Amino acid sequence: MMQMSNIADPNTYKLLTPGPLTTTLAVREAMLVDRCTWDDDYKAMTESIRASLLELAEANPAEYGVVLMQGSGTFGVESVLSSVPGAADRVLVLVNGAYSERMCQILTYHRIPFDRIDCGWDETPDAQRVAEWLDAHPETTMVSMVHSETTTGILNDIESVARVVKAKNRLFIVDAMSSFGGVEIPVESLGIDFLVSSANKCIQGVPGFSFIIARKSALLAAKGNARSLSLDLTAQYETLEKDHGKWRFTSPTHVVAAFDEALRELKAEGGIAARHARYAAVNEALREGMAELGFKAYVAADRQGPFITTFLYPDQAGFDFKHMYAVLKAGGYVIYPGKLTERPSFRLGNIGEIHGDDVPKILGLFRGYLASL
């Protein structure tokens, strides 16, 4: 085993962002070794990661497989949406944020027929509307939605939608980018066919690859449908299977090693349940504290996910986001601009190495900035 250095953590601030996020020093130190993609030890690490992800997803390895895909989370979503639909398929996208909008962009780029059901960005998609749509549109073969919309922090109800989609015998695709690993998602019992997430979210690795937990029958049935060489989901899966952990093209070896360490740390923390409890407690404390300071959350509390919160700009003379950002950064925390189109906002993420003792420090910085206006 590699002997790690005893250097102090070089981070000068923590990230209040929804990924990349603040990682542990051990996760970063795992990247100090150069690895060969063909080496059996490295391939064994890849296979261990794939097995761990299936376990976290509560998915039977006889029914489900894991595909690791180079690139950001969007690469994984595009891999699924450009590889799974065939010539006769039509996708229904449930839209309530920028990342479900991005699904529509991907389908448009690849000229894949799709429809969309829109709702407010502070509202969750209604399963009954989905059921009615599927009854009226037998040509729709797949439904795609986002679980945790990083745009706003809203947590969509994938369980109720899953029941409808499976009852109507359609494929179900879920972008669980900023939720997988931070909340229990029993993929098999929900009937999810393809779930996509990323290394640099709730499992607390670093950016560099996405992963897809896929029902094997649906994955193999899609062979030949891919509209991209590098994003061919089935081809990537078949190579990982045939070569026992070898990726088709050059893999992000350092990122894979960091993720392997991050998975160990998730287990040591107590698994998904314990991590969810930490995230939820910090999120609630931040939301309540910000409300006391006069910052209004965009999403109602009963729809708020425990990962990121969108706050509207306060109605206070002299408020300037860039100045507030600089104050927070100087105090040791970096915040995230808003992504709403109709109202000015900013976001506070609390995944990664953010703990209860960070909350009073963060709120103190906001309080100090407001007092300076």
Side-chain angles (χ1 to χ4, degrees), residues 5 15 37 56 66 69 93 120 123 136 141 144 193 199 221 225 244 252 255 302 304 332 343:
S5 65
L15 300 174
T37 59
L56 291 174
V66 173
M69 182 63 65
V93 183
E123 300 174 351
T141 56
S144 185
D193 297 290
N225 292 346
H244 307 291
V255 176
D302 62 345
Q304 176 69 57
R343 303 182 71 177

Side-chain angles (χ1 to χ4, degrees), residues 12-79:
T12 57
Y13 52 75
K14 287 188 172 186
L15 300 174
L16 298 179
T17 60
L21 39 67
T22 299
T23 57
T24 65
L25 185 58
V27 164
R28 280 170 273 141
E29 284 188 321
M31 295 187 286
L32 294 177
V33 174
D34 297 318
R35 292 171 171 84
C36 171
T37 59
W38 287 91
D39 184 77
D40 285 342
D41 289 342
Y42 176 71
K43 290 195 293 183
M45 181 185 293
T46 297
E47 291 296 80
S48 174
I49 287 171
R50 295 174 71 208
S52 294
L53 290 173
L54 279 182
E55 185 177 348
L56 291 174
E58 301 177 35
N60 181 356
E63 299 293 330
Y64 282 82
V66 173
V67 188
L68 308 183
M69 182 63 65
Q70 297 92 326
S72 70
T74 298
F75 283 57
V77 174
E78 184 160 4
S79 175

